[in-house]
């Protein structure tokens, strides 16, 4: 039983009966508890219930439509274990599969946090780009994979896709700002890092220009670059919306965004226009592919759950 949600609501006394009716009308709810006068800040009643994940978005939507998020509080938690025949019955009655359900409010909140330009975000994307710089110069695929795992850029990519689908201009602007500023700072710092490593004798132009069978793909965009980016975008988006996948798995499968940015920065430090342009094209192609795939995946999920069951 891993697809149930627990709701803790604080309601003004004059709205409690309305909230209880909304819960009782929603298919897939159970374990309804009302504690009159239990809340102190804000003052009101506490209402608890469990709801099948596939019915959760509908219930949260009607509760927000009633204004409860403004006059009281709505808190939602995942239930890791629920030993209850009533819970099993509620989950069976709810339409669809819990693992496939999309909690749009949760998605918006998660992508909001992950797409905010912060010192931590800048630090991670910069460190990831510097690690990738070592990977491209040494032609080391392990370092490239490591940089992909450290890079946080899938957060704002997912945020931008969510903003398009949900028509949320502020989230779109926040995500775009995080992407542009993040990559600009990371690449600028990596240029300086490359020059430092060159002065110490660890980076050389000969290594960058040599045959690199493991990492040459980062500055040679082709059709497969776009195809892989699209597949990664779908997988990353599903990792955000599915109950069966950890949050932001897409961080580890961000394809060649960070490595391409790193190669462009290193090539720029040596004045290699060809690799700089090729890497930049690879970066933009991957960003476009992931955003397109994420947006289409969310639109499909939204359409699928809007159909009558």
């Amino acid at each position: 039983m891993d697809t149930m949600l627990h709701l803790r609501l604080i309601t003004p006394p004059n709205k409690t009966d309305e909230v209880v009716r909304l819960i009782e009308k929603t298919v897939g709810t159970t374990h309804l508890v009302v504690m009159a006068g239990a809340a102190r800040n804000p003052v009101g009643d506490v209402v608890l219930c469990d709801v099948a994940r596939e019915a959760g978005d509908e219930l949260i939507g009607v509760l927000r439509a009633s204004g409860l998020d403004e006059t009281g509080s709505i808190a939602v938690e995942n239930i890791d274990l629920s030993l209850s025949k009533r819970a099993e019955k509620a989950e069976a009655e709810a339409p669809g599969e819990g693992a496939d359900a999309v909690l749009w409010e949760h998605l918006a909140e998660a992508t909001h946090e992950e797409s905010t330009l912060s010192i931590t975000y800048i630090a991670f994307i910069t460190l990831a780009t510097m690690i990738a710089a070592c990977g491209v110069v040494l032609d080391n695929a392990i370092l490239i994979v490591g940089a992909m795992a450290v890079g946080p850029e899938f957060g704002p990519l997912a945020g931008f896709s969510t903003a398009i689908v949900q028509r949320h201009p502020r989230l779109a602007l926040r995500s775009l700002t995080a992407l542009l500023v993040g990559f600009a700072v990371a690449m600028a710092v990596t240029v300086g890092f490359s020059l430092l490593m060159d002065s110490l004798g660890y980076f050389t132009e000969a290594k960058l220009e040599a045959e690199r069978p493991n990492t040459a793909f980062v500055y040679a965009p082709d059709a497969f670059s776009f195809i892989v980016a699209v597949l990664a975008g779908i997988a990353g988006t599903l990792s955000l919306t599915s109950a069966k996948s950890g949050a932001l798995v897409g961080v580890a499968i961000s394809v060649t965004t960070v490595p391409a940015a790193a190669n462009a920065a290193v090539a720029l430090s040596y004045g290699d226009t060809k690799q700089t342009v090729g890497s930049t094209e690879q970066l933009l192609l991957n960003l476009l592919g992931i955003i397109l795939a994420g947006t289409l995946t969310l639109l499909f999920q939204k359409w699928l759950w809007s159909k009558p069951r």
Side-chain angles (χ1 to χ4, degrees), residues 217-296:
F217 67 92
V218 299
Y219 62 87
D222 56 20
F224 276 108
S225 301
F226 186 74
I227 292 170
V228 173
V230 167
L231 295 175
I234 295 171
T237 303
L238 290 177
S239 78
L240 278 176
T241 60
S242 173
K244 290 189 176 295
S245 183
L248 288 182
V249 170
V251 170
I253 54 172
S254 49
V255 210
T256 53
T257 49
V258 164
N263 198 84
V266 176
L268 183 63
S269 71
Y270 285 116
D272 186 332
T273 304
K274 181 181 178 181
Q275 285 201 36
T276 301
V277 172
S279 300
T280 303
E281 290 176 353
Q282 179 77 281
L283 172 63
L284 295 175
L285 194 62
N286 276 270
L287 293 176
L288 176 63
I290 293 173
I291 290 174
L292 178 63
T295 303
L296 293 178

Side-chain angles (χ1 to χ4, degrees), residues 31-79:
H31 302 155
L32 177 61
V33 178
V34 179
M35 296 182 286
R40 293 293 180 268
N41 183 19
V43 174
D45 303 330
V46 175
V47 179
L48 308 174
C49 74
D50 295 342
V51 59
R53 180 182 171 88
E54 52 268 43
D57 192 63
E58 175 188 353
L59 179 57
I60 294 169
V62 295
L63 290 173
R64 290 202 66 185
S66 73
L68 185 59
D69 56 324
E70 297 179 359
T71 59
S73 169
I74 304 172
V76 184
E77 301 174 321
N78 286 309
I79 298 177

Side-chain angles (χ1 to χ4, degrees), residues 110-132:
T111 52
H112 175 277
E113 293 178 2
E114 297 293 338
S115 62
T116 300
L117 185 65
S118 63
I119 293 175
T120 302
Y121 173 84
I122 292 291
F124 270 114
I125 196 169
T126 301
L127 289 169
T129 307
M130 292 165 68
I131 293 171

Side-chain angles (χ1 to χ4, degrees), residues 137 194 197-199 201-210 266 270:
V137 172
S194 177
M197 295 293 281
D198 180 78
S199 67
Y202 295 112
F203 282 12
T204 65
E205 187 173 3
K207 290 181 179 179
L208 181 70
E209 301 297 340
V266 176
Y270 285 116

Side-chain angles (χ1 to χ4, degrees), residues 178-191:
L179 277 174
L180 296 179
V181 175
F183 273 113
V185 172
M187 292 175 71
V189 172
T190 302
V191 169

